[in-house]
Amino acid sequence: MSQTPAAVAAPTVEQRERRVVIRDGFAWDDYDAYLFDIDGTLLRSNDGVHYNSFFSSVKQEMGRELLLDGVVLHGNTDPGILRDAFRRVKLEDREWQDSLEAVLDRMRQTVTEQSDSMSVRVMPGVPEVLAHLRRRGAKLGVATGNLEIIGWLKIEAAGLREWFKFGGFSDKYLTRPEMIGNAAALARAIAGEQATVCVVGDTPFDITAAKANGLPAIAVATGNYSFGELLKFGPEACVTSLQDLLQSAGSENADKDLAHQSPERENP
């Protein structure tokens, strides 16, 4: 998830040195299905709608102030963020577990009501890579720590909804490996039982969750983690942006026109 703009101090994509490292033998665009993280990978939020909903929802449903200082946000799941925040202030599990679903429901409602205030920026190369993979016959899905309705609202705000056939979300999962496992199962239900699946994300948690499910990972440094930080976790490909990945394969010119066409609509 993305914090409010004032809380994000990461350098812009344009300010970073452009680098691409691909493991020998890894054909990054030759998989049957892809699972794209949302925040930091496909887009960045310029608003506080999702972030602020944590605080207001806990206040309304539990009557207490939420503290997120020291809680890992990027690469976590929405339920996991709440769990970590409550445990950080020594709240017993029994004191928050019965209220968790009510808080999540309130978040869904709040973000939906404020969706017109969403402002997002699509990351460099995203439409071009989606077009390239679609042209090669891949099924495209999202796999995110966002709650489902929040994730789709962000995708719609970014104008990317028509690219994605399915999605894996955090509504029923506290941990990212569980969420990725579910998303991979959805991908194979659509692309075939033996379909090859690749994860694309911007945090170490995307990489480790992919590995926990036996999946390869493409790491993109368009979020809050640097290229060097991501590379340490051993992804099959590590790039400064999806634009740089596509350029390294010499595919940009071939797909430039496709990126500006509306793909065939596919429902989740």
Side-chain angles (χ1 to χ4, degrees):
M1 64 160 289
S2 296
Q3 297 185 49
T4 54
V8 176
T12 65
V13 174
E14 293 76 12
Q15 293 173 325
R16 300 174 180 178
E17 178 187 1
R18 296 177 178 179
R19 299 179 61 189
V20 174
V21 171
I22 301 176
R23 182 174 297 175
D24 288 344
F26 177 63
W28 69 269
D29 58 354
D30 199 29
Y31 283 75
D32 298 318
Y34 291 81
L35 305 175
F36 284 84
D37 171 58
I38 294 180
D39 296 298
T41 301
L42 294 175
L43 57 87
R44 288 188 75 114
S45 295
N46 299 319
D47 59 82
V49 173
H50 183 195
Y51 181 72
N52 291 335
S53 72
F54 282 90
F55 299 94
S56 62
S57 298
V58 169
K59 181 66 174 179
Q60 291 172 22
E61 297 298 330
M62 299 178 66
R64 62 180 298 128
E65 301 294 335
L66 179 69
L67 297 175
L68 291 181
D69 296 344
V71 175
V72 173
L73 303 180
H74 302 278
N76 207 335
T77 66
D78 284 1
I81 288 170
L82 292 168
R83 172 203 59 194
D84 295 347
F86 294 143
R87 288 181 175 177
R88 190 167 180 82
V89 295
K90 310 299 183 184
L91 198 65
E92 296 288 339
D93 286 357
R94 58 181 173 77
E95 296 182 71
W96 61 265
Q97 286 178 339
D98 289 345
S99 300
L100 180 60
E101 193 54 46
V103 172
L104 296 175
D105 276 342
R106 179 68 66 174
M107 287 178 61
R108 296 180 185 103
Q109 178 182 343
T110 298
V111 174
T112 299
E113 291 173 349
Q114 299 178 13
S115 60
D116 287 346
S117 298
M118 282 184 167
S119 173
V120 303
R121 177 166 59 99
V122 177
M123 294 292 92
V126 166
E128 293 86 351
V129 163
L130 296 178
H132 176 70
L133 295 176
R134 174 66 65 80
R135 188 180 69 166
R136 291 177 63 84
K139 302 299 183 183
L140 307 178
V142 295
T144 174
N146 291 184
L147 299 173
E148 181 169 5
I149 192 168
I150 295 175
W152 284 132
L153 285 170
K154 290 180 182 180
I155 291 292
E156 289 169 2
L160 299 174
R161 180 63 183 88
E162 291 183 302
W163 290 109
F164 296 102
K165 186 176 180 63
F166 64 96
F169 301 89
S170 68
D171 298 68
K172 298 180 181 179
Y173 304 101
L174 281 169
T175 70
R176 202 165 194 91
E178 291 176 308
M179 180 273 294
I180 290 291
N182 173 67
L186 292 174
R188 292 192 174 108
I190 293 169
E193 185 178 348
Q194 301 303 316
T196 55
V197 181
C198 183
V199 173
V200 186
D202 68 296
T203 75
F205 306 100
D206 295 296
I207 303 169
T208 56
K211 290 180 180 294
N213 286 280
L215 304 176
I218 298 172
V220 291
T222 47
N224 278 46
Y225 290 89
S226 70
F227 178 91
E229 289 171 326
L230 294 172
L231 191 61
K232 292 177 182 177
F233 286 82
E236 278 63 31
C238 191
V239 300
T240 39
S241 73
L242 289 176
Q243 182 179 64
D244 297 333
L245 176 63
L246 199 55
Q247 287 178 338
S248 74
S251 304
E252 183 184 38
N253 291 335
D255 289 312
K256 188 174 294 184
D257 291 339
L258 276 175
H260 298 290
Q261 298 177 13
S262 177
E264 295 182 4
R265 180 177 294 276
E266 296 190 43
N267 296 321

